[in-house]
Amino acid sequence: MATEKHILYRLYIIAGGILLFAFAIAFKLVNIQIAEGEKYKELSDKRVYKNFTIPANRGNLYDAEGNLLATSVPEYDIRFDALTVSQENFDAYLNPLAKELSKMFGKPESYYVNVLRRARANKNRYFLVARGVGYSQYVKIKEFPMFRLGAYKGGFISEQRTVRQRPLGKIGERTVGHGQAGLEGAYDEYLKGKDGHRLKQKIAQGQWKPISDENEREPKDGLDVVSTIDINIQDIAHHALLSQLERFQADHGTVVVMETKTGEIKAMANLGRTDDGKYYEKRNYAVWESHEPGSTFKLMAMVAALEDKVVDTADVVDTEDGTVKYYDRVVRDSHRGGYGEISVARAFEVSSNTAFSKFIYEGYKDKPEAFVNRLDYMGLNRKIGLEIKGEGSPKIPHPDDSNWYGTTLPWMSFGYGVSITPLQTLAFYNAIANDGVMIKPRLIKEVRDRDKIIYDYNEPVIQNSVCSKETAEKVREMMRQTVKRGTATNIYNENFSMAGKTGTCLTGYGAGKGGSEYIASFAGYFPAENPEYSCIVVISKPDRSIGYYGNIVAGPVFKTIAQKIYTDTPNVDQIDQQEATNNEVNKDFEKYFAVSQKYKTIVPDVKGLPAMDAVAILENLGLQVKLNGSGKIKKQSIQKGEKVKPNQQILISSI
């Protein structure tokens, strides 16, 4: 009896536990449905539905003349949900769809019939039909049989992405930039636009299908930016620099061409050497690389001395035997034996280190801070503040520095111990060409929303005056004479005038292969009488066995750029073109003109033409051009004589 009661008691406990458990389940179900229902529904929706970002098209980036530097082109992947289409529609439209796909993509009609049937048999809801089609093709495909029924009835799935194309190819690649670099990064706030959103449903592991053909929020395209770059001058600068880098087997180099009165940068070429000896736009040396400038800094030293009335241009300096000793170090002239007694102006023209060290040391040895303060006043110790990221910091030593020595002042006079970027150097030279007025270098003209100007940047930004107009006139005459009868006489041409200063600077100090390495440079402007453009050329670590002085390595690049710009806009009535480089320009132009006139509806032979000319000719014929390389064209995918077809694509290559 006791045993039965004990068993019955246990049954009551178990039954009570089951009842409590049932109540708990019921309570939880009610709680989920009422209190937490929205929360779990949202979690469920997130697993099944998801908002995907639709990137906005970036605005176009143009050169100063309206030529494209960078543009966004939409591309589409076309997919097929083989399960959502009814059997009736699938049977009715399969063959007509396969026929249209065959016409567009060139594969047999039977191929598309088979793969689409297989996709349906395998219940594939995300079958790839075509990848990377253009917008015009996408519009046509949307209207193909079956696909025109839409996402649910026709199984049509399209996925858009944006591809950034740069018509110039490798020319000016670092200047145009990508990501946060170059013009793309500098003006990203204008170019980027606002992203849109599109709701998609999960149909398989890692696969999402758009709910509808429309976006929940349409992307808003970015604004267009008109830069100051001129692609014709950019092309000239690029090839002039490339030719000299290859000739002297240099490590890297940069060229910047700027409009004197406005500060607009018309070209910025930067080329670095690869392990196999080729050159490409490695990084923006013009903006980034701060280094000892060497003798191009003598202009700054001369301006400081003239402004402080330490010397005058007619003062005489004894260069002795071409060597001067300061403490335990010796300053040497490149010309053995020195120049004897010469004027301060002549010392600039022949770039005498001994003369500069003497008059700067004698003039400032009791007050070295006055020299440094003058350089600082002229803006040489400050960044330009260019919008492009990565500007290098200038460095001007000060007597209060712990590493200031008795030799620091004389060595600064000819560009050692100081550090400055090529663009910062050019800004100073441009100021001298502009009567001493410093104009901030800039890379932007306008921001546009289609044809409407949103922001206008055409007004020059005046920063400060680096010196008096009188001093500017004096040093301009010195730079003119430097080209006519000084260290840069090798680039003198009586048909067009140039002014500037050569620079040769040790770098690495014996660390390079075979001994010390050098930086060769030339900075100046043209025409000498009424400057329109300023330009700097810097070539680092040329092969010493071939040459390393600034007049030999960098000067000819400057001359080529000036000469070709003069060829386009001569400042005299007639120029007798006698040099080989000019003949090449004439031949190229004549070939360009002949080709463009002869061919109207057939593909011309553009082999041998510069890349920019070839692109212009072919695009004017209505061809879609893809360019590989940047030099003279060696190959073309469509041979000459073939008839031009609408929207036909042609590949041209200089490699």
Side-chain angles (χ1 to χ4, degrees), residues 247-302:
R247 179 185 175 190
F248 287 89
Q249 300 172 26
D251 181 73
H252 63 273
T254 185
V255 170
V256 184
V257 181
M258 187 161 68
E259 205 170 66
T260 306
K261 302 299 181 185
T262 66
E264 291 187 0
I265 295 174
K266 294 299 177 183
M268 186 183 287
N270 298 277
L271 293 170
R273 192 179 187 186
T274 62
D275 293 337
D276 61 356
K278 303 293 184 181
Y279 291 91
Y280 74 108
E281 289 263 347
K282 199 170 183 179
R283 70 184 312 161
N284 198 324
Y285 301 106
V287 174
W288 166 77
E289 189 171 39
S290 184
H291 58 77
E292 289 179 318
S295 292
T296 53
F297 196 78
K298 285 174 181 169
L299 176 65
M300 292 74 159
M302 177 65 77

Side-chain angles (χ1 to χ4, degrees), residues 7 99 130 138 183-184 191 194 222 248 271 280 300 391 406 424 434 441 451 470 485 507 531 616:
I7 291 171
K99 184 177 180 180
Y138 159 74
L183 294 169
E184 291 271 27
L191 293 165
K194 293 183 180 179
F248 287 89
L271 293 170
Y280 74 108
M300 292 74 159
E391 182 180 0
Q424 290 158 2
N434 205 33
D451 293 331
E470 180 185 9
R485 64 179 192 180
T507 181

Side-chain angles (χ1 to χ4, degrees), residues 12 31 360 376 412 552:
Y12 287 148
N31 186 59
I360 291 296
D376 187 60
M412 285 177 66
I552 300 298

